[in-house]
Amino acid sequence: MSKERTRRARSRRTWRGIAGVAAGVVLVGGGFVAANAATTTGAAKKAGVHYPVDKKADGVAAVVSAANAFLNTLDSAQQAQTVLDFSQANATAWSNLPCGSTCRPGIQFGSLSDDQLAAAENVLKVALGSGKNTGYEHVLETLKADDVLASAQSTSSDSAAPTDGTSSAPSADPSATPTDVPTGAPPSGGGGGGGLGGYGSGVYFLAFLGTPSAHGTWQLHFGGHHLAVNVTYKDGRVAGASPFFTGVEPTSWTDDDGTTHAPMAKFRDGLLKLTGSLNTAQLSEAKLSESFGDVLLGPGEDGQFPATKEGVKAGSLSAKQKKLVLEAIHPWVADVDDATAKQLMKTYAKELDQTYVAYSGGTGLDTQGDYVRIDGPSVWVEFVCQNGVVYRDQIHYHTVYRDHTRDYGSEFSFS
């Protein structure tokens, strides 16, 4: 088997997940329940609409072609789950919670066949950034982390909790109150998964809000626990790459083959370099009086940017420190395709002098309540540390990237 075929086979197993979705099983509340298996019973399923595919397309047209190729693998009922209205209700239906289809629309990856999963994977690969530890690669690593979390959650409560960030099973206390608990009502136009929640890469959902096209407006909407990707297209270009939520638990682990994973190290390290460059006076100016248990602008908080910017103004920083601000922003922006990310970074660079850096708690990003924010005329990035949900003796990360003027492609009003 070639290296590429081996990689793709491993990727498809990742989408299936530790939670056993290939057998129609997902984790819910620490136990196992049957999910909708990807099998046909009774009469053959009705064929779906055939969409045009252009394998030579590039840019947004290539994303459209990949989306159409995926849709062509689906029957009519699956297509109806996947192609939904580009409405405010559907677009804003994303979450950082393990709440399955009760808080997000689309078709569940755990319900797809191998061929369908491969086609869905290709949509994300074409649409997202190609940088190391960002974009498409970051999505893959985040889903692997969710599989580790699913496996750990299913382990008996008398297992020893790891202290070194490895994938050993933690001690799960079912009586403790987690910070990532399934809540929320079904979104308008919600889709597959039968409302099942839980952890694992199979409990992720893909939707196209509006019909993928090089004309008109539509959105690539993908997510599950600790991930929300929202890329809005308008007339053949990317009109918005946010909101983008990403988090992780465990923050790092080591596979049986010795491979170490740390999906958010690049995100964290950029902020550590930035805050580590601030002198005593700058740290004092950047310090926030508030304490934070989560990001301010998470799910359901659209348009709720603080009226007043706080912290140390980037315009007052040295040239080296200004560069560190931009480097700290980049991993979040790099979730979208490389060309769009480059344009967004140019905008944020032009606005840099009016951008603020702030923090709360400590700057080590290793303790509950450690929090860093970057707030500009356009860009908004938050990073917060929380106590672990399953890995209770560790922390986990919540972060969000938004844009004051480009969230959801500026299609909706949140005033």
Side-chain angles (χ1 to χ4, degrees), residues 72-337:
N72 288 340
T73 70
L74 306 180
D75 62 40
S76 60
Q78 291 174 315
Q79 287 182 351
Q81 285 182 296
T82 306
V83 183
L84 305 170
D85 291 339
F86 183 36
S87 65
Q88 186 163 322
N90 282 335
T92 59
W94 57 271
S95 180
N96 60 272
L97 300 175
C99 44
S101 65
T102 66
C103 60
R104 51 183 66 88
I107 192 163
Q108 184 178 339
F109 270 28
S111 71
L112 301 178
S113 70
D114 283 348
D115 287 344
Q116 291 169 335
L117 283 168
E121 174 188 356
N122 191 54
V123 176
L124 297 171
K125 185 175 182 179
V126 173
L128 304 182
S130 62
K132 184 173 176 57
N133 298 321
T134 59
Y136 175 67
E137 183 176 300
H138 174 70
V139 167
L140 291 181
E141 289 292 292
T142 301
L143 270 71
K144 289 177 184 177
D146 224 38
D147 283 337
V148 172
L149 192 63
S151 180
Q153 188 194 43
S154 68
T155 304
S156 61
S157 60
D158 59 354
S159 300
T163 58
D164 60 356
T166 68
S167 59
S168 303
S171 175
D173 178 7
S175 66
T177 302
T179 53
D180 286 1
V181 291
T183 60
S188 172
L196 296 172
Y199 305 118
S201 60
V203 197
Y204 277 69
F205 296 77
L206 175 64
F208 304 134
L209 307 185
T211 302
S213 173
H215 308 284
T217 303
W218 65 283
Q219 184 188 91
L220 170 62
H221 190 96
F222 174 72
H225 175 238
H226 276 171
L227 185 67
V229 175
N230 299 282
V231 184
T232 305
Y233 301 91
K234 186 172 183 177
D235 295 332
R237 64 179 182 84
V238 175
S242 59
F244 173 56
F245 182 101
T246 182
V248 68
E249 182 182 343
T251 57
S252 65
W253 72 94
T254 301
D255 289 340
D256 291 340
D257 64 3
T259 303
T260 298
H261 302 264
M264 296 203 65
K266 190 167 187 175
F267 296 73
R268 177 202 62 209
D269 291 350
L271 292 173
L272 290 177
K273 289 178 182 178
L274 171 58
T275 57
S277 76
L278 302 179
N279 61 35
T280 302
Q282 290 168 335
L283 284 170
S284 178
E285 189 173 358
K287 182 78 171 183
L288 296 168
S289 59
E290 309 99 314
S291 296
F292 297 87
D294 205 345
V295 294
L296 281 179
L297 295 182
E301 300 297 331
D302 300 296
Q304 302 303 305
F305 298 97
T308 303
K309 297 189 185 301
E310 299 179 89
V312 61
K313 197 173 184 179
S316 69
L317 302 180
S318 69
K320 182 177 180 180
Q321 289 173 317
K322 290 180 180 180
K323 183 178 179 181
L324 291 175
V325 175
L326 292 175
E327 290 177 353
I329 293 169
H330 183 260
W332 283 272
V333 178
D335 75 297
V336 76
D337 69 274

